Amino acid sequence: MKAKIFFGSVEARVDNYSERRSPFSGEVVSYAPVCDEKDALKALQIAQDATKYAKQSTLSQRCNWLLDVAKKLKEQKEDIAKTITDEVGKPISFARVEVDRCIETVTLSAETMRTMHGETINTDAMASGKKTTAFFTREPAGVVVAITPFNFPLNLVAHKLAPALVAGNCVVLKPTPEAPLTAYKFAKLFIESEFAIKDALSVVYGDAEVGGALITSDIPRVISFTGSVPVGNIITKNAGIKKVSLELGGNAATYIDKSADLDLAANRCALGAFVNSGQVCISLQRIYVNGDIYDDFANKMAEETKKLVVGSPYEDDTFMGPLIDNDSCVRAMGWVESAIEEGAKALLTPRHDGRMFYPCVMADVRDDMAIVCEEVFAPIVSLIKVDSFDDAIPRMNNSPYGLQFSVFTNDLKLTQRAISELDAGGIVINDMPTLRFDIQPYGGVKLSGVGREGPKFAIEEMTEIKSVVIC
């Protein structure tokens, strides 16, 4: 099936399309229009012209719009889930979970916007002031450019579209080239809704040329991007004076304390390291283990990992499907081979069959090895022995990334220290750092990004405060 351009509410066809092949079977599963700079600029101009309609719309219309999309998405759940599996190879059971999460994200955005409000200000609080009627309100920023990645091709689109549109903005979406049909089907639900705001959403496709035109234009007031650090750097340097929200890479770490429940820790760490084949910004990559329980935990971790089913993403019991492309497999095997040459030991035999890369647990890893210094974005996790939490803290923090960390412990004092001393946007206690609830604020520090997602927090990023004083 062919994805199509949306120039506002008008569906457009083109002569040239690119193929998207399944990372599992290699078969063509979708087609995307080949767009260029002119298409990007046309979509932006339509969005800018539509801001007057969006700003005049009522909150009830926008909330009903989102709830209508959530309802239609629920009705089309199986078709959307299969499209995700076709395009990015995500196991079908997890693709269904992603659709469910997307429904929640859209619904939460509507419910959150109903309760978003300004507040009154006491302007006579200081001697220099006087009594007035003063307050602030939130207004839509204007045009939002949303650029999304392949690993959650539906829900990460929802985390941008739903807050932006319910706040009264207009959006130009450039979805990942790896999942054009997923984004098209989702956007179509918005555009064809009876509650839709005319021309409030446009969709264009492409890579650097289209993305560059979108971010450098003077029209958008907000750039919301999820992806790699190198692209995030390009956006930061070229966007100009705009609000920029970046959700970038991670190098998630956890500490296993000797007071922890090791069976729980091993089970959750195996899930956190290998879900979505490790292709998650908050995939568990580094496990710092107290030396007193290192061997015991390593054995449990290897046993839990062996239970994971690797295979066809169309089977309900499959936990891991293929990596997104061949280059990802080559890069992942390079990480493993380099670590072994540097003295690390693979607890499970490293192997891949085409794009099917089997989960790999590396032991006796040191902090100076490349496998823990960079984001691997593959099903590889490293075990590092430490003397104590005092030893682990600086080593966990010694990363250019700071997205999410976790600690497994039954020591309250250690829990309090972890919350205070770990440098990350999110801290999880007694679960994997990969744990994320869509209602919570989500984002990182350092190279992991700027700004926060989650409906309430994204709405704040995509609105402007207007201060009013009546004397």
Side-chain angles (χ1 to χ4, degrees):
M1 181 176 176
K2 291 182 178 180
K4 299 180 182 66
I5 301 171
F6 279 113
F7 287 125
S9 303
V10 177
E11 191 173 272
R13 299 175 184 271
V14 297
D15 294 329
N16 297 321
Y17 287 84
S18 61
E19 295 179 343
R20 175 58 189 162
R21 293 182 176 272
S22 162
F24 174 66
S25 67
E27 298 175 354
V28 176
V29 291
S30 62
Y31 297 87
V34 176
C35 297
D36 57 20
E37 180 181 1
K38 291 181 180 178
D39 296 320
L41 296 178
K42 179 178 179 179
L44 285 171
Q45 187 60 57
I46 290 170
Q48 185 178 48
D49 293 343
T51 56
K52 61 178 178 288
Y53 304 117
K55 196 168 184 178
Q56 291 169 0
S57 66
T58 63
L59 177 56
S60 63
Q61 177 188 352
R62 301 195 301 272
C63 290
N64 286 336
W65 187 13
L66 266 62
L67 295 176
D68 183 51
V69 169
K71 176 176 176 289
K72 299 288 176 47
L73 193 58
K74 188 173 183 179
E75 293 168 354
Q76 298 179 30
K77 175 179 175 178
E78 197 61 25
D79 176 67
I80 300 290
K82 185 179 181 299
T83 304
I84 294 171
T85 300
D86 287 342
E87 292 193 310
V88 301
K90 180 170 290 189
I92 189 66
S93 59
F94 290 99
R96 293 184 185 115
V97 170
E98 183 170 351
V99 178
D100 287 337
R101 286 182 61 188
C102 179
I103 293 167
E104 291 181 351
T105 298
V106 173
T107 303
L108 277 170
S109 296
E111 293 177 350
T112 299
M113 193 65 208
R114 290 191 199 276
T115 60
M116 294 285 282
H117 53 76
E119 62 183 63
T120 57
I121 307 294
N122 296 320
T123 54
D124 60 344
M126 303 300 289
S128 60
K130 68 175 183 177
K131 280 190 174 294
T132 68
T133 300
F135 59 92
F136 73 81
T137 63
R138 285 195 173 273
E139 293 196 341
V143 175
V144 175
V145 164
I147 303 175
T148 56
F150 77 85
N151 54 343
F152 290 90
L154 182 70
N155 196 36
L156 290 184
V157 174
H159 269 282
K160 300 183 188 305
L161 292 195
L165 293 172
V166 81
N169 295 290
C170 295
V171 182
V172 177
L173 168 67
K174 189 190 86 65
T176 176
E178 283 82 8
L181 191 57
T182 299
Y184 167 74
K185 288 183 175 182
F186 185 41
K188 194 177 178 71
L189 297 181
F190 280 95
I191 290 169
E192 293 186 346
S193 169
E194 62 180 300
F195 301 102
I197 298 169
K198 183 180 182 329
D199 292 339
L201 174 61
S202 293
V203 185
V204 292
Y205 308 84
D207 286 319
E209 179 187 2
V210 174
L214 292 174
I215 67 171
T216 57
S217 167
D218 291 334
I219 290 176
R221 300 309 310 143
V222 179
I223 308 292
S224 182
F225 169 78
T226 300
S228 70
V229 171
V231 177
N233 266 319
I234 292 171
I235 291 173
T236 302
K237 292 175 181 177
N238 291 280
I241 302 175
K242 302 180 179 74
K243 299 178 79 171
V244 177
S245 179
L246 305 173
E247 197 276 279
L248 306 175
N251 189 344
T254 194
Y255 170 68
I256 313 297
D257 186 52
K258 59 185 178 181
S259 70
D261 180 333
L262 297 191
D263 291 326
L264 169 69
N267 173 267
R268 300 306 292 170
C269 285
L271 297 179
F274 304 122
V275 68
N276 206 31
S277 298
Q279 299 171 125
V280 185
C281 293
I282 44 178
S283 284
L284 176 56
Q285 185 172 326
R286 300 175 290 152
I287 305 179
Y288 292 88
V289 187
N290 186 289
D292 292 348
I293 46 95
Y294 181 87
D295 291 337
D296 192 10
F297 177 80
N299 290 331
K300 290 178 182 294
M301 183 70 187
E303 290 304 311
E304 287 293 332
T305 302
K306 289 177 185 177
K307 299 175 184 177
L308 304 178
V309 178
V310 181
S312 166
Y314 297 98
E315 298 295 330
D316 285 342
D317 64 344
T318 295
F319 182 81
M320 285 177 52
L323 288 178
I324 193 66
D325 54 34
N326 292 327
D327 289 345
S328 297
C329 281
V330 172
R331 186 170 58 250
M333 190 56 72
W335 290 118
V336 173
E337 291 172 349
S338 171
I340 292 172
E341 289 174 2
E342 294 176 89
K345 178 175 67 176
L347 298 184
L348 302 173
T349 303
R351 64 192 179 103
H352 71 95
D353 181 8
R355 294 175 181 173
M356 305 295 288
F357 196 100
Y358 288 76
C360 189
V361 181
M362 303 298 295
D364 301 335
V365 175
R366 301 188 311 273
D367 287 313
D368 60 348
M369 294 181 180
I371 200 169
V372 295
C373 293
E374 298 294 333
E375 182 182 31
V376 298
F377 221 64
I380 303 168
V381 70
S382 298
L383 307 185
I384 306 160
K385 185 184 294 185
V386 294
D387 295 331
S388 64
F389 190 49
D390 285 324
D391 185 18
I393 289 173
R395 296 163 78 168
M396 292 172 73
N397 286 338
N398 185 26
S399 169
Y401 302 101
L403 195 47
Q404 293 209 164
F405 290 154
S406 82
V407 170
F408 286 85
T409 183
N410 285 307
D411 183 333
L412 178 59
K413 292 292 185 184
L414 192 150
T415 296
Q416 293 169 328
R417 289 189 59 198
I419 294 168
S420 174
E421 297 178 35
L422 291 176
D423 296 336
I427 307 296
V428 179
I429 306 299
N430 286 330
D431 210 326
M432 55 189 175
T434 325
L435 184 68
R436 175 189 178 183
F437 300 106
D438 293 299
I439 196 171
Q440 72 182 112
Y442 176 74
V445 299
K446 298 187 280 190
L447 290 187
S448 287
V450 178
R452 292 294 182 269
E453 287 195 339
K456 175 181 184 295
F457 311 95
I459 289 170
E460 290 175 349
E461 300 277 355
M462 296 174 178
T463 53
E464 300 282 6
I465 288 176
K466 176 176 283 186
S467 179
V468 178
V469 179
I470 303 173
C471 297

